[in-house]
Amino acid sequence: MTKWNQLLAMLDQTLEFANRKSSTVKKIKQGYDAQTNEHVIWLEYRVRVANDLPVKPSQPQQREMAYLRQVASDVAAARSSRQK
């Protein structure tokens, strides 16, 4: 069993989707946060669930996602201006 399969098994066990059909994990990107002196790795964990219908996000969820996107954009802009 590879390390990635072990990570996937641990995520499956930890997040406990009862009717999970399949799941995947992959590394999206990796970087270094000079402010905190830490390596940062962004992972994506996807789960396919049996008999799951798509859920349309509610209005508050859409606002929260827009806010999170804006914060991420601001952080990225601040980091890039700091590196120049």
Side-chain angles (χ1 to χ4, degrees):
M1 181 177 262
T2 68
K3 299 280 185 183
W4 284 101
N5 288 342
Q6 290 174 353
L7 174 62
L8 182 60
M10 186 58 66
L11 286 169
D12 288 340
Q13 181 182 5
T14 303
L15 299 175
E16 296 179 357
F17 283 93
N19 53 348
R20 178 182 58 81
K21 287 174 57 175
S22 65
S23 60
T24 60
V25 65
K26 69 178 180 177
K27 181 170 67 169
I28 301 298
K29 66 179 182 175
Q30 182 175 340
Y32 183 77
D33 187 351
Q35 186 175 6
T36 60
N37 294 325
E38 296 173 322
H39 290 274
V40 182
I41 300 170
W42 286 263
L43 298 176
E44 177 181 81
Y45 174 70
R46 290 181 176 250
V47 179
R48 183 161 296 186
V49 181
N51 301 325
D52 194 21
L53 299 175
V55 177
K56 186 175 180 180
S58 66
Q59 192 67 8
Q61 286 176 331
Q62 290 174 345
R63 281 194 304 259
E64 290 171 3
M65 288 305 296
Y67 174 73
L68 289 174
R69 284 188 195 100
Q70 182 61 44
V71 168
S73 171
D74 293 345
V75 168
R79 284 187 180 156
S80 67
S81 67
R82 201 178 337 134
Q83 291 176 354
K84 288 182 181 178

